Amino acid sequence: MTTEPLSPLRRLARRVPAPLKREPVAAAVGNASLLGVGYLILGRYRLAGLAAAGSLVLVIGVAASEPPAWPWRAALLVWWAASIAHGWYAGANRTDWRASEPAPPLGRRPREIGLGAGALVLLAVLAVAVHARAVGFGVAQAHEDGDCATASERAQSLGALDRIVDGLAAADARDQTEACALLLAAQEIADEGPSAAVADLTDYLDHPGARWDGALDLRTDVLLDLAALELTDALSSGATPAEDGFDHLATVLDATPNRAEEAQAVVDDFLAALPAAQPCAVMDVAARTFADPERFGGFEGVDSSVEAAAPAAILGCGAELTAAGDYDAAVAAYELFLDEFPDHPDLVTAQGGFDLATVRPLLDGWPEDPTVTAPSYCRLPEPLSTAPDYAGAGPHRMALFGFDHSDALPGDWIAGDITEASIAVCSGSLEEGERVGSCDYEGGVTVEFFTKRFQVTVINVRTGEQIYEGPIDVGGDCPDTIYFFDEPPSSMSVDSTDADFEAAFSAFVNP
């Protein structure tokens, strides 16, 4: 007798116990339990173990993955359907042709066993699903009421079985828990850290798990408080740029236009404080407003209030910066005034402040440091429009640099500061000038005498122009006595009186 070889599926289904050789329903429903019960009914112990092990691996994969774990769930679904189909096939096709004896029977009620096992698993799954949905509903209800503490606590009751059976409910609870963490963090730090609270609330609103409708209004409350703090700081220390506050108020207008009046109230308080604020803080606000008017233009009164307060503030700030020695910042302040208010009545004052802030650093610390002898100003003079005019009758006071005999000149000729000077005189060291004659002294000593010569540069302080460069000779007479060691000198400078020094400089002081 010739027997055809069996297909692989029929080989897997061989050795069905004789009393149970036609039980496809029992085998299929038993395998629906994912525990391989159908194979046990058929006496296929290895297949039963393989089915249970495969189910265990897939269930662990679902439990270990972030919900809803669709790839694992798809694999588990395929595995479950294959187990049912193969159980039906194995139960409907007895292929024990190679067995010398039939397998021993497993019981009299295989269908009841299969149905009972499948029903038990399905009931367990249903119970877990109901629990997961109930917890999810409770989480959502508390969350929507704004009670995130309760929502997070309820979400903790979802266990591994809930995640396995109802991945959607578990994923939704996870998302809501993450969103609630942001909301709780924002509520906790809203008073002490409003900037961080705004960031957390913004993240909450963008989070897919957000459910509380009051979050937008809460963020608006924090934004209004934060903007008020930032604008107050902008007018005091200046550490916070004013546009930060206006940006937050713009966010309020965009997200909650129904609260525009509250945002305008914050701006009104800010504008009311402008006239009495620190000059440099007001100037900073003005500079930012002028540079980006659209950023500040969404509110009433900003342009007019800033333009009214800015001129005096800029001049005051420029003077403060110049006095503090921050000349670059002072120059920038006066440039702002000159650019923005070219027709203002205080334009001359601003130009003078600009000139002074430009000239001061060229003096290299003079007059505070009287030892300065060759400041940068002597090489690169700049105009100082507020300096006394070098015109008309003198004396015109001068700022002297590098001249060691200033005490020989009248006090009202010497300026104590560059702002008091009509001219600046930059002098070189003493040189031998023109020969004036010779004088004889005891011991047959004859000495040739020369004028005192100084190479000078004379600058008109108001215009910054050089009006003279060359020598000044200071005359005098032979001294009554000369002093020397070893050999007598062959030449010397004349002995000059105060009148001689005055005569040398009078051509510049009294032109």
Side-chain angles (χ1 to χ4, degrees), residues 271-360:
L271 297 178
L274 275 177
Q278 294 291 331
C280 287
V282 177
M283 185 197 71
D284 182 70
V285 172
R288 296 175 186 277
T289 304
F290 298 152
D292 192 359
E294 293 184 359
R295 198 170 187 178
F296 297 84
F299 299 92
E300 297 179 2
V302 174
D303 292 341
S304 59
S305 296
V306 170
E307 287 183 5
I314 294 173
L315 293 178
C317 181
E320 289 181 3
L321 294 170
T322 301
D326 193 351
Y327 302 117
D328 289 341
V331 167
Y334 289 118
E335 282 181 335
L336 177 66
F337 189 104
L338 297 174
D339 292 341
E340 296 294 335
F341 304 100
D343 300 321
H344 197 276
D346 291 328
L347 184 66
V348 173
T349 302
Q351 184 63 57
F354 174 86
D355 293 344
L356 182 60
T358 303
V359 169
R360 279 284 184 215

Side-chain angles (χ1 to χ4, degrees), residues 168-265:
L168 290 176
D172 184 62
R174 176 204 61 201
D175 290 343
Q176 292 193 60
T177 301
E178 291 176 356
C180 273
L182 293 170
L183 183 58
L184 291 172
Q187 291 171 332
E188 183 176 355
I189 63 175
D191 293 333
E192 298 180 359
S195 293
V198 168
D200 285 339
L201 287 169
T202 301
D203 291 341
Y204 172 84
L205 291 170
D206 294 336
H207 199 283
R211 295 289 186 276
W212 184 44
D213 293 337
L216 186 59
D217 278 333
L218 175 60
R219 189 184 69 163
T220 298
D221 292 339
V222 179
L223 280 170
L224 290 171
D225 293 341
L226 177 59
L229 290 173
E230 290 172 336
L231 293 178
T232 299
D233 185 66
L235 293 183
S236 54
S237 68
T240 303
E243 59 259 37
D244 287 0
F246 277 90
D247 286 347
H248 289 137
L249 292 176
T251 302
V252 171
L253 293 184
D254 291 340
T256 52
N258 58 311
R259 302 187 66 176
E261 291 186 1
E262 296 175 67
Q264 183 64 50

